[in-house]
Amino acid sequence: MVSPSVGSVILVKFPFTDLSATKLRPAAVLAFSGKGDWHGDWILSQITSNPYADINAVEIIDTDFGSGSLMRTSYVRPGKLFTANQSLMVKNVGQLNQSAFARIIKSVLSILQPPH
C-alpha cells in the first residue's frame, strides 16, 4: 500500500463506468480529507497528458518534481477533484516541489472563487 503525502503524485485505480475493471491513472495528492477521523481518504486532482483546453490546467514537467517524474509533460486538472481511499493508491510516482504544488493550489482556489 502507498503512503501518500500532500504534494505527491500517485497512481490510483480508476473504475470504468460499468465497474467491470479499473485503470491506473496519475493524480496529485492535495490534502488528507479527515483531520480527526482516520479513514485513509485523500483529496486528489486528476492528471492527464492532454490539457483539454482547460484554462485552469497546470502544466507539470520533470523539473516540477523534487523526486520522481511522470516522464512526460502532464496537466493537473484542478476542476477534476475527487476523494479516494488510500487502498486504491498503487504506486507513489514522485513528489512535486513547493513551487509546482503552490501553482496547483492557486488554480484550485481560483475556480472556487465566485465570479466578480
Side-chain angles (χ1 to χ4, degrees):
M1 180 166 39
V2 172
S3 294
S5 62
V6 171
S8 62
V9 173
I10 51 93
L11 294 181
V12 63
K13 295 179 187 176
F14 277 86
F16 290 120
T17 55
D18 66 0
L19 303 178
S20 63
T22 60
K23 189 169 189 176
L24 290 179
R25 294 285 188 206
V29 178
L30 303 183
F32 176 58
S33 70
K35 294 293 183 198
D37 189 18
W38 173 251
H39 290 290
D41 293 337
W42 293 79
I43 299 169
L44 309 176
S45 183
Q46 179 187 52
I47 299 177
T48 67
S49 59
N50 184 337
Y52 294 102
D54 180 349
I55 62 169
N56 296 304
V58 178
E59 182 181 82
I60 54 173
I61 59 176
D62 287 348
T63 58
D64 288 319
F65 285 82
S67 63
S69 169
L70 283 171
M71 310 288 247
R72 65 170 42 165
T73 298
S74 298
Y75 302 87
V76 179
R77 311 254 337 266
K80 302 290 185 181
L81 302 179
F82 61 100
T83 303
N85 188 270
Q86 184 175 349
S87 65
L88 297 174
M89 300 175 194
V90 175
K91 182 178 180 182
N92 191 347
V93 174
Q95 184 72 32
L96 294 165
N97 63 36
Q98 288 181 344
S99 174
F101 186 70
R103 289 193 327 266
I104 294 164
I105 295 300
K106 181 178 179 181
S107 190
V108 169
L109 293 175
S110 75
I111 65 172
L112 297 175
Q113 298 298 317
H116 296 286

